[in-house]
Amino acid sequence: MSGYCEPVTSVSVIVPAKINLHLGVGAVRPDGYHRLATVYQAVDVHDEVRAEPATDDITVTIHGDEDVTSSVPTGPDNLAVKAAEMLRDVLGVDEGVSLHIRKNIPVAGGMAGGSADAAAALVACNTLWAGGLSRDELAEIAVDLGSDVPFLLFGGNAIGTGRGEKVSPVLAQGSYHWAIGTSKEGLSTPEVFKEFDRLNENLDLQPPAVPDELLAALRSGNPWALGLGLSNDLEDAALSLRPDLEETLTVGREAGALAAMLSGSGPTCLFLASDEAHLMDISVALASSEVCDDIISARGPVSGAHVV
Ligand code: C5P
């Protein structure tokens, strides 16, 4: 056998969206970030990032529905571009890359779509440039790209502490079914945190913690127990900015969802179902009431960014 390897011409990576089963928010830190204690779950709403060799430049194109793609930056502000630049510096390579992102994760929806693309770009470019970095080493770079980026490299169910970037896996069983109601008009995460600060300005916020009941529910694999344990401290702030979302949550609750809440900083709404048939019932109720712009069916947990 010869030792010759074909040059890599293109690497495709798929990456999941995240939801927060628990999002505990504490006081703002001196660096401007809030203390978090969260439980992430990766769900099977995937973006795909394809990386092709290029001589010097790092460029990005966005593909998908026009209302989605038109709001994603294509310049140096794109998080996938920043990820490729940071990895290039760490590896000391002098090549460029053309990134092509196929978007399915809602933009500015509270499901970490931009962070997902950054995680995928790290994995894709590490393969394209034969960087040989481990997932833990990529996670060290990911911390500087965004609080959710490290989790999206690993996926599954995980606790996130610090500002959300310190992740450790959670012992869990079962697969959970989610109806996801999206909204074309996104919410800015910094704006929602600002509103959280305004609503809590006279309160002495306790350090956030992950509730034992939620971890026990995940260990049991019982969706009814999980439904009782879900919570999101950013929900009041997001609803204060987008009161119309109350109606979406009500429709899902009335359709029998085991729990209804906002995903992260919103405006995406999450409805936990007991199984596939129940998921379909909730989706039909949401669609017929026309309270959200689109409805996605998802299952979690799934694995993090990986080459396909
Ligand atoms: O970490 P990331 O860049 O994704 O965060 C986006 C914004 O969300 C931050 O600039 C900050 O305004 C807010 N944020 C926060 N506390 C966190 C995470 C995010 O205030 N723990």
Side-chain angles (χ1 to χ4, degrees):
M1 216 160 59
S2 93
Y4 175 74
C5 293
E6 286 286 329
V8 179
T9 51
S10 154
V11 177
S12 285
V13 168
I14 64 165
V15 62
K18 66 86 192 167
I19 59 176
N20 303 83
L21 304 178
H22 171 80
L23 182 48
V25 182
V28 70
R29 311 188 311 192
D31 65 1
Y33 284 92
H34 292 73
R35 288 169 205 276
L36 293 191
T38 187
V39 179
Y40 293 110
Q41 180 168 95
V43 296
D44 66 351
V45 181
H46 287 110
D47 277 1
E48 178 165 356
V49 175
R50 190 162 49 82
E52 284 175 359
T55 40
D56 306 311
D57 291 345
I58 296 179
T59 57
V60 67
T61 58
I62 315 291
H63 308 264
D65 285 351
E66 207 201 315
D67 12 302
V68 174
T69 56
S70 57
S71 48
V72 178
T74 51
D77 283 350
N78 183 287
L79 265 191
V81 170
K82 284 190 184 165
E85 279 168 354
M86 285 175 68
L87 182 67
R88 182 164 73 170
D89 287 350
V90 169
L91 296 177
V93 294
D94 55 7
E95 290 161 56
V97 63
S98 306
L99 299 168
H100 305 280
I101 301 178
R102 180 152 295 280
K103 286 232 60 89
N104 293 304
I105 304 174
V107 176
M111 296 187 78
S115 300
D117 299 342
L122 287 177
V123 173
C125 293
N126 187 41
T127 305
L128 188 71
W129 295 332
L133 296 189
S134 68
R135 217 149 272 255
D136 284 336
E137 287 167 325
L138 291 179
E140 283 173 30
I141 303 171
V143 167
D144 292 329
L145 288 160
S147 309
D148 299 328
V149 184
F151 169 69
L152 293 160
L153 289 169
F154 298 105
N157 295 300
I159 291 177
T161 53
R163 59 179 168 93
E165 87 287 13
K166 293 183 188 142
V167 287
S168 50
V170 161
L171 190 63
Q173 58 176 329
S175 177
Y176 299 91
H177 300 76
W178 302 94
I180 298 177
T182 66
S183 183
K184 274 186 188 150
E185 194 194 327
L187 268 174
S188 142
T189 302
E191 290 301 317
V192 175
F193 273 104
K194 241 187 251 165
E195 183 66 1
F196 173 89
D197 291 340
R198 195 185 68 80
L199 294 176
N200 291 287
E201 70 185 335
N202 296 319
L203 301 180
D204 186 16
L205 289 173
Q206 296 303 307
V210 169
D212 289 339
E213 297 76 21
L214 176 63
L215 298 178
L218 280 171
R219 282 196 299 273
S220 76
N222 179 328
W224 284 269
L226 189 78
L228 293 174
L230 300 178
S231 61
N232 180 353
D233 285 353
L234 286 183
E235 187 162 286
D236 287 348
L239 289 174
S240 160
L241 299 174
R242 284 285 304 274
D244 58 299
L245 297 171
E246 285 280 13
E247 196 188 345
T248 311
L249 294 175
T250 302
V251 169
R253 277 190 198 108
E254 287 175 352
L258 307 184
M261 70 168 180
L262 291 195
S263 179
S265 55
T268 304
C269 296
L270 301 174
F271 305 94
L272 179 61
S274 52
D275 55 25
E276 283 292 329
H278 189 208
L279 170 55
M280 202 48 70
D281 291 345
I282 297 168
S283 301
V284 168
L286 289 168
S288 56
S289 66
E290 297 181 1
V291 283
C292 32
D293 290 317
D294 197 10
I295 299 141
I296 307 172
S297 298
R299 289 124 213 109
V302 294
S303 47
H306 59 278
V307 175
V308 287

